Amino acid sequence: MESAKEAHLLVTELYDPANQRNPSKVNEIQARLQQLQKGEHGWMIADVLLREPSTHHRFIGALTFTVKINVSGKEIKEDAALEAMQHLVNHFVALVTEGEQAMVIRKLASSLVALFMQPATPWKRAVLQLAASLANGGYMSEDGCRALDFQNTVIPALSQKQVMALLFFSNHLAEETMRLGGDKYDQDVVAEGDPDIMHDRRGMSVSVRVAHNIRDAFLLSQYVLRQVSQQATVPELGTEAMNSWKTWLVVHGNHPLPTTEDIPDDVSHLKTLCAHDIIEAVRVPDLRDSAVSVLTSVMESRLVSLDSKAKTRLSQILIKAISAREMSDEEEDGDHLTLIDLLVAFAYYLDLDLFREHLSPPNSQLLEILHNVFKSSGYAATEDMATPRVLEFWNETAEYLPDKLESDDPLFAVVKDQLAAVVLGLFNKLLYPDPEHLRGWTDEERSEFNVFRFEGCDYLLSIYQFLGVDLIRVFQESATSNLSNQDWRSFETAMFCLTYLSEAVDENGHADECLDAIFGGNTLTQIFTNAGAAIPLKARQTLVDAIGKYESYFKRHTPLLPGVLTILFESLNFEPCAQTASRSIQTLARSCSQALIGDIPVFLDQLDQFRVKPTATVNTMPRVLQGIAAIIYALPQDQDKVQPLERILRLLVQEAHTAREEGNASAYESARARGDLVLSCIASVGKGLQSTEIELTDDEVPEDESFWSSGPGTEVQRLIMEAMRLLIVDFPVDISIIEAACEILRAGYTEKSGPFVFPPSMTVDFIKSFPLGISGTDIIMATASSFLASYGSHSLQIRDEAVALISHVAQLFYTMLETPDLYDPETANAGIDFLERLLPRYHPVLFSLTSPLPSPSEDPGSQRPPILAVLVNFTLHALSRPEPLPIRSASTFWANLLALRPSASEDTVVLQQVLEQFMPSLCHTLIQQIAGRCARSDLVSLTDVLRRGIFKHMTIARPSLTAALDAIDAHVVDANGQQVPLLEPKEKSRFLESLFVARGARQQSLDLVRTFWLKCRGLSYDYAR
Amino acid sequence: MATQSYYELYRGSSLGLSLTDTLDDLINEGRIEPQLAMKILSTFDRVVTEVLADKVRARLTFKGHLDTYRFCDDVWTFLIKDVTFKLDNQQAVQADKVKIVSCNSKRPGEV
């Protein structure tokens, strides 16, 4: 009784308003209460609390029953379970009769379900037995209930409160069954193999016992729904009955009824009868929300099969309800949306049946509603939420139509016509709001509307496969007529649709005739160049985007290029259009470069005008220049390229001088922005001059490789180098400038000759000019790797440069090893990554670096270690530290080094020496890390090194790994409080032998290492798997 | 309501790995129990799935040559070669080969 008193006090304190703002006190109370609930007096405490006058106490009493059943479930035998069941049922009946609050009844219902779920519970038709007990006013045995007529005698005898309580129980039983999953639960029990439990279950699993209740649960729902439809009971009961029906549908789907038992096989019929009643409930205002929600959910999940009567009735009710909403001219509300959701779910459910007899009601009316949604007022996805949902239905219908019907099926044509009709309604919904309306929208609303527009265009692409060029013609005619009328919003929408449809027609030319009608002739160019600012920016923006998207069309129609390029350059003047226009210029210039070489002077004049405008930014200028450079590249003779390139580069060098002056005047921000712009422009020129896929033919003269380095093109290269020097040396560089400079260097790595193919020393000097720890080291070292890779097939040509770069990295590593405070994970990662990438081609160079690392002080007394040793030691150092990226790059380096197979014998010898020298340190570092020190996410990369070492170099790896494992000396405290070794020698040797048995197999090795790591961390199981 | 189970595949993402590493540290320091970590990871599975479904609006399109495809255990796998991705900002990204593994957003048997 002491425990019960304590529990009483604890519950009183738990609900005491004075403690509500004291979470630590509440936690303390809850912890103690849980202790009592789980303890030996748990049953008694539950019983006492359930008889208390306060609702809070009774609630916790019911909760205590659940806790105790779950904690002690495995210990309960059949007799005890039966006793507990009688006890609980009596409590339940008494509380319901006394008019207990719903929260306590629900909780007690969940206790009963928890008891039902125990394998030892001899309970089969729980819904019937509980109903009979409620009607009886106390517990009734299963045998006593067997002869009762549940449907006609038991349920009608129950009061509304009793029915509600029974529904709580029924619903909870179904939910709990769904949560556990019948098969899983049975497997768990069988796996435990408790012979008593197996005996007590008498061969009947929980899932089979649940199945015995399905029919009773549906009968209960049906009875309540009938009562509700006759207004003979309260709507709350109807809602509960509908939810119960839905949940039991899932259970029925997952638990087939036992065929050997004496259960009438009318469950499917009962399911449908309930569906009829719920469909009727859509008409009842108090039940509409629940009915619509439940029907939508079961149709989306295809949990129920509706007969033709139910389909017809649902169609009629939906048509009437939605039409009434439309007629009422009210603002869109949640009620309307839920009806639309049900309509869409029903349309999915009907599938192709919706299109059969499409001219007769009710299908014709349903289709009409599905089309009329597009005529509703408001912008989709922001003001009108129904349209996106209906569009999704049409989109899926279009996407799956070819899988469902052959094109010669008569129904195919019907569906196709319906899909085509959607386009007309959709067009109005795609109209972009005018600026004034747009100003009232939040960023999120703009984004939602734009997403809807793209979804609308996805639909157009889906139906293009059925409608073909006719679809393009619709938008072309709209575009041309609206252009004439200067209806810019409609013009913009038509062009927007055409832009998206370019994916389907640009390359194949199927719609060239339609496109001619828009882009042919001078109308478009004249309007867009003469009207200027009078044209809304959105329309201009969409047009310039469309021009870029139809690059193949313009490649086939080169005479149209001057006109559209005029529009594009004109559009560069408008800030919202400049970025799109520059992108389209770049695209067209690249695609049609051959056709545009005669216009280079015009382009350069346009560039002169553009570069001084505020819209000439780092987002636009480089693109325009890349386009112009692509045209220059198309000139047949190098000699012809010199003059235009010089003209561009002189302008850029002039800007570089200005940036430098700004830097000297401490205007760093401005200097950096200008410097970034200049270098980005030069890098884009480099990209524009990169060779395309066009191969040299026999007629063409091979390029003169010295033309740009020492011939007539020297000045071009000198200008590039000067701009770089001005903006790198003693300039306030930032990561954008470094990135742009690296792009300039990389532009020449893929070329045989050209103004961007610099002497190899330039890359080396550039990389060496940056100090340790500068932001952007990864980009710089990636450039070094690209540089070495570009000479991969003839690496000896740049041996000195490769040595210089590797030595530079070694200097950085040495500094970080000697001065730990200077350790920079980014530099470490980038440097090791550089080493790893040079291994395949440049390992002979790396292995030859056995001379001491040069000392800057020239002090003969301070001789440094060999370069190779510095590099290898640093990778081991990175491997032993906690930073994840250096661990990963060092792991990759070692994994590749261990797998390396040099072609030259002298390299093999050096590699063997390196491995023999460093294997003990490597193994020590690896074992220390996987013995619980490293993060779990590092295990994969560290295991890669381990398994490569074991598989490729077993002989030298074994002693090193044995020694490394022996060196683990961690201790833990055992249950007796004694210090014991974390790992026994046997465990260590078993781990090692298992790794060797795995012979480098990836998953097997990883599983072994993960288990070892968990053990070293003191975890008995892996919570994350 | 019934508890829905979610795929654990996002635990292999950089976010998931970082979260697991952090949970490991917290367990190692005795600040949380593994059971709580397990619960946190379950929540992570759910939230990532929901956020990706509801909040992510970024779009991309891609074109390539479908090399291999298979459908096994409700999982589609596509191996695509010479792929060009076009992102929202019109940026294009090239890849020699891409493997797409796609699972049903609802696990088998779920409502």
Side-chain angles (χ1 to χ4, degrees), chain A residues 175 178-179 250 301 303 448 451 454-455 458 500 503 549 583 935-937 1013 1017 1019 1021 1023-1024, chain B residues 1-3 11 17 20-21 23-25 27-28 34-35 37-38 41 57 59 61 63 89-90 109 111:
Chain A
E175 283 176 359
M178 271 168 54
R179 193 178 70 81
V250 182
S301 314
L303 283 171
E448 290 295 330
V451 168
F454 285 120
E455 278 164 5
D458 279 343
Y500 215 81
E503 269 186 47
K549 286 284 159 55
R583 191 166 51 230
R936 180 194 295 260
S937 59
W1013 179 86
R1017 285 234 168 173
L1019 292 169
Y1021 70 100
Y1023 72 90
Chain B
M1 278 304 291
T3 312
R11 294 184 189 186
L17 291 174
T20 314
D21 283 349
L23 293 172
D24 284 335
D25 288 346
I27 292 169
N28 213 23
Q35 287 83 352
M38 213 185 286
L41 282 178
R57 289 301 193 190
R59 298 161 61 96
T61 55
K63 274 184 182 175
N89 59 4
Q90 302 297 321
V111 183

Side-chain angles (χ1 to χ4, degrees), chain A residues 967-980:
Chain A
I968 297 177
D969 193 26
H971 285 74
V972 287
V973 179
D974 69 1
N976 303 321
Q978 303 292 314
Q979 287 272 334
V980 292

Side-chain angles (χ1 to χ4, degrees), chain A residues 897-924:
Chain A
L897 188 69
L898 289 164
L900 194 64
R901 288 280 174 271
S903 50
S905 58
E906 59 269 27
D907 293 332
T908 309
V909 172
V910 178
L911 175 63
Q912 195 61 26
Q913 286 168 354
V914 168
L915 294 181
E916 280 171 10
Q917 184 185 344
F918 291 99
M919 189 62 92
S921 308
L922 174 66
C923 290
H924 179 79

Side-chain angles (χ1 to χ4, degrees), chain A residues 315-381:
Chain A
S315 302
Q316 289 167 343
I317 292 173
L318 265 176
I319 290 161
K320 197 172 172 188
I322 295 175
S323 304
R325 298 288 314 168
E326 284 168 359
M327 295 293 284
S328 70
D329 205 24
E330 284 177 32
E331 290 276 309
E332 187 180 77
D333 56 18
D335 191 26
H336 177 67
L337 262 187
T338 53
L339 283 172
I340 292 292
D341 280 341
L342 178 55
L343 171 72
V344 170
F346 188 44
Y348 276 119
Y349 180 83
L350 292 174
D351 198 21
L352 292 177
D353 286 345
L354 176 65
F355 300 96
R356 294 184 216 281
E357 298 180 26
H358 66 287
L359 297 175
S360 317
N363 285 6
S364 62
Q365 292 162 302
L366 287 174
L367 286 167
E368 194 181 338
I369 295 175
L370 286 166
H371 286 295
N372 283 347
V373 167
F374 294 104
K375 294 178 186 165
S376 61
S377 61
Y379 286 96

Side-chain angles (χ1 to χ4, degrees), chain A residues 28-49:
Chain A
E28 199 182 309
I29 294 168
Q30 281 180 329
R32 176 60 189 151
L33 198 53
Q34 267 190 12
Q35 211 177 2
L36 290 173
Q37 286 172 320
K38 291 176 182 172
E40 56 179 321
H41 302 300
W43 296 113
M44 186 263 289
I45 291 169
D47 208 40
V48 169
L49 288 177

Side-chain angles (χ1 to χ4, degrees), chain A residues 908-962:
Chain A
T908 309
V909 172
V910 178
L911 175 63
Q912 195 61 26
Q913 286 168 354
V914 168
L915 294 181
E916 280 171 10
Q917 184 185 344
F918 291 99
M919 189 62 92
S921 308
L922 174 66
C923 290
H924 179 79
T925 307
L926 288 174
I927 294 296
Q928 286 293 320
Q929 286 282 37
I930 64 169
R933 201 169 79 183
C934 71
R936 180 194 295 260
S937 59
D938 297 328
L939 288 176
V940 175
S941 49
L942 291 169
T943 305
D944 276 346
V945 186
L946 195 60
R947 65 191 184 88
R948 288 272 174 91
I950 287 170
F951 188 60
K952 303 272 184 185
H953 302 276
M954 196 179 280
T955 320
I956 52 172
R958 183 183 279 276
S960 300
L961 286 170
T962 307

